[in-house]
Amino acid sequence: MDVKFESWKEIIKDENIVFKKTKVLTDNVLSYCPGCGHGVAHRLIAETIEEMGIQDQTIGIAPVGCSVLAYEFFDIDMQQAAHGRATALATAIKRLYPNKFVFTYQGDGDLAAIGGNETLHACNRGENIVIIFINNGIYGMTGGQMAPTTLEGMVTSTSPYGRDPQMMGHPLRITELVAMLPGTYYVTRQAVHKPANVRKTKKAIRKAFENQQQNKGLSFIEIVSNCNSGWKMTPVEANKWMEENMFKVFPLGDIKVDGELVKEL
Amino acid sequence: MAKFKGAIVIDIEKCKGCGLCVEVCPQKVIELGNNVNTKGYFYADVIKEDCTACENCVMVCPDTVITLYKAKLEV
């Protein structure tokens, strides 16, 4: 440990620790780009699991996408699903082990495009699982192609002149879509770019896991995130761009709480 | 009013130099330095001892490389 300042030496003691890396995350270095929102989302889930004391009762489902290696980073039981099929796999696991906590961790390509079918039907059946949906409006892992959630006019490698809704359709707001289904119990959209938003997101994740504990039904948490590599920006610029553009199409806040819509759709 | 003093320790080998902590620190305690770690990233470095343990940096750090300490100031 490298301590730079004299006055810090007396503070840096184990009894003064107010924040350190949770034990539910492994020591592996995350495979994400610098500044990626995935890291914070991972940490929040891991901290929730640690605080609830359910490390040995939780089963996570990793998707295909940037977070395909999520099982390397969480020190819990994980299963990796075929592309888009995380919610289907979660359904099976939850039905076989009804006392375990099951969550899926999916990106927008996995959940909204390839797995759109599975997601809608799992939500419609109201499986008692938690779905964490990271929305960055782009296919990050494969090199920044257009995703269903890509904004109008946004330049990606497969929409080099910007997304034209006439030809390529409109951004898919799947969170609003699943909120309309009677099977979902808690639907919310959060972000992790600022300390205040991070705290709110953590509360939402905690609520989702508690809903599952009480057999309330399906909780769906969208986390609007950045993809600074895909958007070709620095992490700080990407967060600013996200605030100015993404939040217009994907406004933050609760959409459905305790099975009741709390927002006009 | 009780005053608190904070201290942070950054795991420089795991830091990727994204600079998000630099942006949110109200005391401007952290800065991206001129040195690189073994992965080649310009890691975040502590330049002042004005930390108040507000927890902003540990909240936004994607790689959870910051450990935060907090102690009451004895006046």
Side-chain angles (χ1 to χ4, degrees):
Chain A
M1 195 188 287
D2 174 35
V3 180
K4 281 199 156 168
F5 306 112
E6 279 298 317
S7 71
W8 282 28
K9 278 184 183 156
E10 47 201 71
I11 301 178
I12 295 178
K13 291 178 207 150
D14 279 354
E15 69 256 30
N16 287 340
I17 288 182
V18 285
F19 180 91
K20 66 172 183 176
K21 191 170 178 173
T22 159
K23 283 184 188 125
V24 182
L25 287 175
T26 61
D27 280 339
N28 294 332
V29 178
L30 298 180
S31 58
Y32 307 115
C33 306
C36 178
H38 270 304
V40 182
H42 276 35
R43 175 172 70 76
L44 296 180
I45 297 169
E47 282 178 357
T48 307
I49 291 172
E50 190 184 20
E51 284 165 18
M52 291 178 73
I54 52 172
Q55 187 175 6
D56 50 356
Q57 302 162 45
T58 309
I59 302 172
I61 321 287
V64 172
C66 288
S67 46
V68 64
L69 294 173
Y71 49 80
E72 297 272 334
F73 311 131
F74 285 106
D75 193 9
I76 55 173
D77 291 324
M78 297 279 294
Q79 180 66 257
Q80 207 266 314
H83 206 347
R85 277 49 173 161
T87 44
L89 186 57
T91 301
I93 292 176
K94 184 69 187 177
R95 288 186 177 196
L96 286 167
Y97 299 103
N99 295 327
K100 302 275 184 192
F101 291 83
V102 180
F103 75 92
T104 73
Y105 186 96
Q106 299 173 269
D108 48 340
D110 191 76
L111 183 140
I114 296 101
N117 179 10
E118 275 75 7
T119 307
L120 282 182
H121 285 286
C123 291
N124 197 31
R125 289 192 305 268
E127 299 295 338
N128 190 21
I129 55 173
V130 176
I131 299 176
I132 312 277
F133 166 41
I134 311 290
N135 176 9
N136 55 17
I138 208 163
Y139 280 87
M141 184 184 73
T142 46
Q145 288 85 1
M146 188 178 72
T149 45
T150 299
L151 305 182
E152 275 177 37
M154 190 169 156
V155 175
T156 67
S157 63
T158 46
S159 58
Y161 306 109
R163 182 175 188 164
D164 174 12
Q166 292 283 318
M167 201 165 91
M168 305 160 187
H170 295 271
L172 179 61
R173 299 200 289 173
I174 195 145
T175 308
E176 273 83 355
L177 205 61
V178 300
M180 286 192 281
L181 300 173
T184 49
Y185 186 75
Y186 177 52
V187 181
T188 184
R189 181 184 282 122
Q190 303 292 341
V192 288
H193 66 303
K194 281 191 173 163
N197 294 91
V198 174
R199 288 190 169 93
K200 275 188 194 165
T201 308
K202 188 169 172 186
K203 272 186 195 153
I205 293 174
R206 174 81 190 225
K207 192 175 162 78
F209 275 90
E210 280 171 357
N211 285 343
Q212 188 175 155
Q213 194 169 30
Q214 297 155 11
N215 289 320
K216 292 278 172 79
L218 190 138
S219 305
F220 189 102
I221 299 175
E222 172 177 348
I223 299 174
V224 183
S225 177
N226 62 3
C227 178
N228 45 73
S229 305
W231 298 352
K232 314 270 185 278
M233 295 174 196
T234 66
V236 176
E237 282 170 8
N239 278 345
K240 213 172 152 219
W241 189 89
M242 176 174 80
E243 238 173 276
E244 287 163 2
N245 299 283
M246 293 282 279
F247 290 175
K248 281 184 200 155
V249 184
F250 303 109
L252 303 185
D254 289 342
I255 298 168
K256 198 174 187 181
V257 181
D258 298 346
E260 300 283 335
L261 284 174
V262 292
K263 198 173 153 190
E264 291 260 323
L265 296 177
Chain B
M1 201 177 92
K3 271 196 157 184
F4 288 99
K5 188 159 174 60
I8 57 170
V9 173
I10 300 173
D11 185 349
I12 56 171
E13 275 310 311
K14 285 185 181 162
C15 176
K16 292 177 183 164
C18 65
L20 293 181
C21 53
V22 179
E23 193 70 14
V24 296
C25 180
Q27 301 291 328
K28 303 287 166 219
V29 167
I30 319 169
E31 203 166 68
L32 291 185
N34 294 319
N35 305 320
V36 291
N37 57 20
T38 47
K39 293 254 181 171
Y41 292 118
F42 290 98
Y43 55 83
D45 216 352
V46 180
I47 52 163
K48 287 196 279 185
E49 40 186 313
D50 297 348
C51 179
T52 57
C54 70
E55 298 192 7
N56 274 6
C57 56
V58 295
M59 280 293 143
V60 297
C61 178
D63 294 275
T64 331
V65 298
I66 306 174
T67 308
L68 177 65
Y69 301 81
K70 183 178 180 180
K72 222 175 202 174
L73 268 190
E74 285 163 31
V75 188

